[in-house]
Amino acid sequence: MSVLYKSDPVRGAIWAERFAQLAPDIAFRMWPDIGDPTEIRYLVAWQPDDLVLTLPNLEVVFSIGSGVDQLDLSRIPARLPVVRMIEPGIVDGMVEYVTEAVLAIHRDLYDYALQQQARIWKPIPLRPAASRRVGVLGLGVLGTAVLERLRLFGFACAGWSRSPHDIDGVECFAGNAALDTFLARTDVLVCLLPLTDATRGLLDRRVFAALPEGASIVHAGRGPQLVTDDLLDALDRGQIRSAVIDVTDPEPLPADHPLWSQPRVRITPHIASATSAVTAADALLQNLRRHSSGEPMIGEIDRARGY
Ligand code: NDP
Ligand code: OXD
């Protein structure tokens, strides 16, 4: 039985070593060295393209990342389960990124950066965290972990998801009918939604208008969820005060894009988090064991929902 890996070769070398140590019975192959295609039962890739169709005995397709929007599910036969990556390294990275972004907004660091450029020494009154309302779009693995950390600072925390959730210390809203109520109580909006037909273009002028005037956003979901022209307009009008943007459409963001020169926007190149080599190899091994013993795998996606 073989696992075929098609992604970053540096991470692949670490995985090969981990497999040799912990699962010497499983052959770990790195694309394009696929050996006998009939031996391959598992494929791990960011974008497998048509490779899936060349492996007659394939049993599972694993995404190397948390999201699966980069996969063309219509080209993966319906009989094959598709599993996304759930591993502690991705969670830790996202918790760090969003916590830093929310704290920077909360402590007025965008205002101080502008004041520094103008050599202005002018304290801004400190607001208690309890008076800052943070709202997270998406209460999945990442959104929940982020809220659990933000709650410890004393922020007034809320979250929005498709189905109802119950998280200690977090006001939970569910479904489209509750979106406006959630937005109206949110000073810092964090997006951690998967990209699906329902979330594409969600961060638009309607959503910005439903937030309190002067709200901020932290976007670490997927670029196509944000309507950039609407954000630029909302920034111009002061409806949105500042934005931390990790994902854009397209990526990389073109050098002449107007977002780059916005004084109250911070852009990072899709680095909010990433699959961490060792913990991800262990998560994959755990899923391979689950699959061979007939247990449900962790992170299997629902094709109908798209995440
Ligand atoms: P999960 O699948 O665990 O959670 C997704 C959440 O979004 C769920 O709470 C789900 O609701 C909610 N959701 C989905 N569709 C809708 C909708 N139409 N309306 C309301 N809520 C919706 O995903 P993760 O938390 O693991 O990851 C989220 C996303 O973060 C990834 O898909 C990826 O796009 C992005 N990401 C970005 C990274 C970066 O570096 N910038 C790194 C890793 C991930 P419900 O609970 O009801 O199903
Ligand atoms: C992911 C990402 O989905 O890095 O894992 O964006």
Side-chain angles (χ1 to χ4, degrees), residues 85-102:
M85 181 56 76
I86 297 185
E87 60 91 12
I90 296 183
V91 178
D92 291 348
M94 190 57 83
V95 169
E96 284 175 10
Y97 185 90
V98 176
T99 303
E100 190 278 339
V102 171

Side-chain angles (χ1 to χ4, degrees), residues 29-270:
R29 291 200 160 268
M30 283 216 259
W31 185 87
D33 170 28
I34 72 170
D36 177 357
T38 64
E39 285 291 309
I40 292 165
R41 299 282 188 278
Y42 303 105
L43 174 63
V44 196
W46 177 251
Q47 277 180 318
D49 300 321
D50 282 340
L51 191 52
V52 170
L53 306 175
T54 65
L55 306 171
N57 296 320
L58 195 61
E59 292 179 23
V60 185
V61 176
F62 291 95
S63 163
I64 204 94
S66 265
V68 291
D69 53 283
Q70 78 286 1
L71 302 175
D72 181 352
L73 293 175
S74 68
R75 283 158 82 186
I76 301 180
R79 70 175 175 84
L80 292 176
V82 176
V83 181
R84 69 195 192 88
M85 181 56 76
I86 297 185
E87 60 91 12
I90 296 183
V91 178
D92 291 348
M94 190 57 83
V95 169
E96 284 175 10
Y97 185 90
V98 176
T99 303
E100 190 278 339
V102 171
L103 287 173
I105 290 164
H106 172 59
R107 294 306 308 264
D108 303 304
L109 294 190
Y110 292 90
D111 298 273
Y112 286 122
L114 293 172
Q115 288 188 187
Q116 182 173 341
Q117 277 170 22
R119 297 166 188 255
I120 294 172
W121 181 279
K122 183 172 156 240
I124 299 165
L126 201 58
R127 256 176 81 166
S131 73
R132 190 82 69 180
R133 297 163 301 173
V134 180
V136 177
L137 294 166
L139 289 176
V141 173
L142 299 179
T144 303
V146 158
L147 279 162
E148 275 167 359
R149 182 65 56 87
L150 290 176
R151 207 163 59 89
L152 303 180
F153 291 94
F155 292 116
C157 287
W160 180 73
S161 54
R162 220 167 68 117
S163 59
H165 285 246
D166 185 8
I167 306 170
D168 207 23
V170 175
E171 195 180 356
C172 294
F173 297 81
N176 289 335
L179 181 59
D180 282 1
T181 317
F182 162 78
L183 294 170
R185 55 72 60 209
T186 295
D187 301 314
V188 183
L189 180 70
V190 179
C191 180
L192 285 174
L193 288 166
L195 180 63
T196 64
D197 289 346
T199 66
R200 189 178 299 276
L202 184 99
L203 299 175
D204 66 357
R205 63 180 63 239
R206 212 198 64 78
V207 160
F208 301 142
L211 290 165
E213 190 181 339
S216 298
I217 70 163
V218 178
H219 184 30
R222 284 291 185 259
Q225 289 161 344
L226 174 66
V227 181
T228 315
D229 286 348
D230 289 1
L231 175 63
L232 290 167
D233 178 58
L235 283 161
D236 277 354
R237 288 183 295 102
Q239 174 62 20
I240 297 295
R241 187 160 173 76
S242 48
V244 178
I245 308 287
D246 182 56
V247 286
T248 61
D249 183 22
E251 289 181 4
L253 189 66
D256 60 354
H257 198 285
L259 212 47
W260 284 114
S261 47
Q262 286 291 317
R264 288 180 178 278
V265 172
R266 187 177 72 192
I267 297 168
T268 50
H270 198 145

